[in-house]
Each structure stands twice: as structure tokens, then as C-alpha cells.
Amino acid sequence: QKQQHQRQRQQAALSIVLGSVPDVSVFAACSWKSALTPSASCLYQTPALGIGLDPAASSTEVLAAITAGQTGNFKAGTEVQMREGIPPWLQRFVGNGFLYITKVLGDLYTPKTLINKGKDMIRIDEEVNVTFSAGSEMGPETCTLLDRAGQTDGNGETMVQFWKCRSFDYIILAAQRASGSKKYLFMSNLEAVNWPAHWDNLPAGFQTKFRVRQYESYKVQKLWSIHGLEAKLTRVMDMYPNHTLFFTGASRGATLAEVMGLRFALEFRRHPNYTMPYVVSTGAYRWTNSVGRDMLGYLLPQHFAHILL
């Protein structure tokens, strides 16, 4: 049984390639700290081609398969330079340092990370300075924590923090999913959702055939209602009407960021201050069916990237 669960986890981890969707890209980076610096050569990209991955493959083979666009079994291939093939909209976020900033805010300044290090949580309206590596031409960026949704003492497993950085017209929503039993991640079933979404003028079948894994559906609904995320999203759009929301997260937080970004697009696309959000995740696992995949491509063209770590 333990071996069976291990195989399920491996397959779930490797089944996150999204399939053939226009305007949706899948990426793989050897590590975000090196891959998001201008001199790195370890960020791989290919249009999402429904690559079939061997669950027993090593990370090196996975990267090589994604780079070469191979299917089935594969061998390690040749590295490509970081900027080759990356769509311009994402390349912009890499080149100006914004993607790096989102990863620092979503990693180093989450409540769980700080509490585990014996440090205090960042207070609402408190500023932090994000610095770049030595030799970078980019100076420090000052970012302010606007709000958060989740357990107020920071000990909750699920949290979303709203950040505004001085030099950018984006509101960063950094999601974390810090702990909890892993069995729920891989053993919950897909289910229909009852989101108060605007389904009008969408392709036939989106509303009736869309499915979300039970675990992620429950966690996002809890954030939306009990922790007031829906109201906080409305408030931040009203306060910053000229800013675009940028959903991001790593690992389990990456999955939450994708679910939240899609739900936001569905529910708020008729809001007078709505602008199409960006969703850039790193290391998310599979949480939806092919209809959800198609919805991401339809509602977020050139605004969604799935980075594999």
C-alpha cells in the first residue's frame, strides 16, 4: 500500500503538464534562485504539448523531455538558454526582476516561514526591501503588505498575502499552503463546483463539465468565504483600479494560486475595475480536468504560466 501511494504521488507530481492549449505555456526551472537571474541558463520552456512523462524519471530527464518536446520514455538532452522561446509577456517579468520579487515575497515572508524561524509576522502596512544578488544591476525594491486572508495568527495552513511594490503597477497575491496531510492532495476526487461565476458567453460545456479536486475546492472556498478573500479582492480592486492582480505561489501554494486566479477571472470578469490577472505558479500539481485546463487558456491568454521546479 505504501508503494502504491508512492506511485500515486509520483504520477501526480509528473502529471501537471497541462496538455495542448493555445496561449498556455509550461516551464521548468532548475531552481528559482538561479533561474530568475539574467545570467542563468536553466529555465526551460515549450508550448504545452501534452508531454507523456515516465513516473520513474529523474528530474534531469523530466527537464530534458520538456525541453525537447518528447513523449513517452526519454533521455537527457541538451540545455537551452533561458530566454529562448519564453513568451514576451513572461520575459518582461523575468527581465525587470518582478518575477524574482514575487518569489521572494511568497517564500521568505510568509507567516509560516517567519514563525518557523522564530521571527514575527509582517504587519499590515509594513514595508520590506527585496534585494537582488550581488552583481545585479537592479537595486532594492520596497514592497508593502496590504492585507492577508487566512488565520490571523499565521498558524493556519492556508494563507494569501497581498503585496504592492513601489515600482510596479501590480498587486501580488502570494499563496502558501504550508502543511497538512499529503494524502488529501493526491487521493481526493474531482468534483463539480458551485462558484458564483459569470458563465455567459463561454464555450459550451465549461460550466457543466468543469471539475476541481475536492481538497483544493474546499480550501479555496474556505479562503473565499470564512477568511473574506472575496471581499478583500473587491476592496483591493476598488483601491487600486489601475493595478493588475498577480497570483503566485510555490508547491501547494502554487496550486492554490492557479485555482484562485481562475475563480477570480470567472467571478470578477464583469466587475467595472476588472483587468485580466496574471497567474504564474511554480511547482503546482494537477488539480483540475481538461475543461479546467481549457478554461485557463480561454480566460487567461498570455497571462498564465506553469513553472515546473
Side-chain angles (χ1 to χ4, degrees):
Q1 187 178 19
K2 183 177 180 181
Q3 291 177 340
Q4 182 181 2
H5 288 170
Q6 184 178 9
R7 285 194 297 271
Q8 289 176 337
R9 289 196 297 269
Q10 289 174 331
Q11 290 179 349
L14 293 174
S15 67
I16 54 181
V17 178
L18 296 180
S20 181
V21 187
D23 299 325
V24 175
S25 298
V26 176
F27 299 85
C30 60
S31 74
W32 67 261
K33 288 185 178 180
S34 59
L36 300 181
T37 56
S39 60
S41 60
C42 54
L43 182 62
Y44 299 87
Q45 183 274 341
T46 185
L49 299 173
I51 301 170
L53 300 180
D54 180 354
S58 67
S59 58
T60 301
E61 290 176 319
V62 171
L63 294 179
I66 293 172
T67 303
Q70 296 173 338
T71 60
N73 296 324
F74 42 79
K75 300 295 182 181
T78 304
E79 289 190 359
V80 295
Q81 291 300 309
M82 183 185 76
R83 294 181 183 275
E84 289 184 2
I86 299 178
W89 71 267
L90 185 59
Q91 188 174 126
R92 181 176 73 252
F93 289 133
V94 174
N96 63 15
F98 183 74
L99 193 57
Y100 174 83
I101 291 169
T102 68
K103 298 309 162 192
V104 171
L105 295 175
D107 182 18
L108 300 183
Y109 293 104
T110 62
K112 273 290 186 181
T113 300
L114 294 172
I115 291 172
N116 289 341
K117 292 182 178 181
K119 298 181 179 180
D120 294 331
M121 290 169 54
I122 304 297
R123 301 182 302 274
I124 304 299
D125 295 327
E126 183 177 352
E127 295 181 345
V128 300
N129 288 320
V130 178
T131 58
F132 293 84
S133 58
S136 172
E137 297 179 355
M138 292 175 281
E141 177 65 26
T142 300
C143 301
T144 304
L145 180 63
L146 301 178
D147 207 344
R148 61 167 57 97
Q151 195 166 311
T152 55
D153 61 5
N155 287 312
E157 297 172 349
T158 307
M159 173 73 68
V160 181
Q161 298 197 124
F162 294 66
W163 294 91
K164 181 182 181 300
C165 298
R166 188 171 296 172
S167 303
F168 299 93
D169 294 331
Y170 301 95
I171 303 298
I172 301 166
L173 282 85
Q176 73 159 33
R177 169 68 187 157
S179 59
S181 177
K182 292 183 176 63
K183 70 178 181 180
Y184 296 113
L185 302 180
F186 305 111
M187 299 179 67
S188 62
N189 297 320
L190 294 171
E191 66 177 11
V193 296
N194 187 26
W195 294 349
H198 294 283
W199 298 99
D200 53 297
N201 298 324
L202 295 179
F206 272 15
Q207 183 175 5
T208 58
K209 298 180 181 179
F210 173 51
R211 298 291 184 269
V212 176
R213 196 184 292 270
Q214 292 171 340
Y215 186 79
E216 282 68 41
S217 178
Y218 166 74
K219 287 298 179 182
V220 170
Q221 181 59 39
K222 188 175 179 180
L223 280 171
W224 222 258
S225 54
I226 295 176
H227 295 300
L229 180 58
E230 181 180 19
K232 293 173 185 289
L233 289 167
T234 300
R235 184 161 59 248
V236 78
M237 283 195 299
D238 292 340
M239 290 179 62
Y240 301 98
N242 297 319
H243 287 61
T244 300
L245 301 190
F246 192 103
F247 293 85
T248 191
S251 188
R252 284 171 277 184
T255 306
L256 287 175
E258 292 185 4
V259 183
M260 289 189 299
L262 179 58
R263 179 164 180 173
F264 173 78
L266 280 166
E267 186 171 330
F268 285 88
R269 63 195 188 101
R270 295 288 183 257
H271 190 283
N273 292 330
Y274 174 81
T275 57
M276 187 185 298
Y278 286 94
V279 179
V280 179
S281 66
T282 52
Y285 52 84
R286 191 167 196 159
W287 56 269
T288 189
N289 60 354
S290 61
V291 178
R293 174 202 64 194
D294 294 344
M295 288 167 63
L296 285 164
Y298 187 89
L299 290 166
L300 303 176
Q302 297 297 318
H303 281 237
F304 173 68
H306 190 110
I307 300 176
L308 307 181
L309 289 182

